[in-house]
Amino acid sequence: MQKTTASLKPAEVEKKWIVVDAQNAVVGRLATFIAMRLRGKHRPDYTPNVDCGDFVVVINADKVKFTGKKMDDKIYYRHTGHPGGVKSTNPRKLLEGRFPERVLEKAVERMLPKESPLARKQMTHLLIYNNGEHPHQAQSPEAIDFASRNAKNTRSA
C-alpha cells in the first residue's frame, strides 16, 4: 500500500494522439470530451500543474450540430478593444463563414482554465480540420468513436 500521492513530472509524461470525428456531434458534449483529454483528466496519474493530456485531432469540424434552437438563438460576443466595440454573432453565421472550426475551438478554449500558460500550451495540442483528412498519419493516432459513447452525443438533423 502506497502512502504518497504519485505526481507526474513533465519528463515522465507519454502523450498519445487521438482522432475524433465531429460529424453530427453536439458541440458542448464534444467540447467537454476534448477539454478533458487535453488536460489529461482521463488518466489515473493526472497532475493539475503538468501538461499530461493527449494530442487531439478533430476532423469534420464544420459539420457539428447544436441542440434546440441554439443555432440561431445563441449569441457569441467579442470586443474590438475600442469604445462601443462590442460585436455579436450566432453559430449559424460562424459555421457558414470563412472559419467554421472556430465554433468548436472557442467552445474547448472556454472549458480550459482561464489566463494560464498551461491552458495556452494545452490548446496548441488541439488540431481542428474541416474535412475528413488530416496530415498526422505519421503519429499513428488512435481513432475514438465519440458518437457511439452515448446516444445524446449526436444529432441527425
Side-chain angles (χ1 to χ4, degrees), residues 9 24 28 37 40 58 70 83 95 97 107 117 122 134 138 141 145:
K9 294 175 182 57
N24 294 329
R37 295 303 287 236
V58 181
K70 291 188 197 99
L95 287 172
Q122 288 168 343
H134 64 87
D145 189 11

Side-chain angles (χ1 to χ4, degrees), residues 20 22 25-39 56 58 64-65 103-112 123 126 146 153:
V20 179
V26 177
V27 173
R29 287 176 164 266
L30 181 60
T32 55
F33 174 77
I34 292 170
M36 184 186 70
R37 295 303 287 236
L38 285 174
R39 293 222 46 213
V56 180
V58 181
V64 293
K65 302 289 183 191
V103 170
L104 189 58
E105 181 181 344
K106 286 297 186 182
V108 172
E109 182 181 313
R110 291 169 180 154
M111 290 183 185
L112 293 177
M123 273 304 289
L126 174 63
F146 176 73
N153 287 347

Side-chain angles (χ1 to χ4, degrees), residues 21-27 29-30 63-67 145-157:
D21 189 2
Q23 185 160 359
N24 294 329
V26 177
V27 173
R29 287 176 164 266
L30 181 60
K63 297 176 180 72
V64 293
K65 302 289 183 191
F66 283 87
T67 58
D145 189 11
F146 176 73
S148 68
R149 288 177 165 245
N150 191 332
K152 295 179 181 179
N153 287 347
T154 58
R155 289 285 180 261
S156 59

Side-chain angles (χ1 to χ4, degrees), residues 80-108:
T80 62
H82 294 285
V86 177
K87 304 284 183 181
S88 63
T89 187
N90 63 12
R92 185 175 306 282
K93 288 181 186 173
L94 285 177
L95 287 172
E96 292 171 355
R98 188 171 169 198
F99 301 107
E101 68 274 5
R102 285 189 184 160
V103 170
L104 189 58
E105 181 181 344
K106 286 297 186 182
V108 172

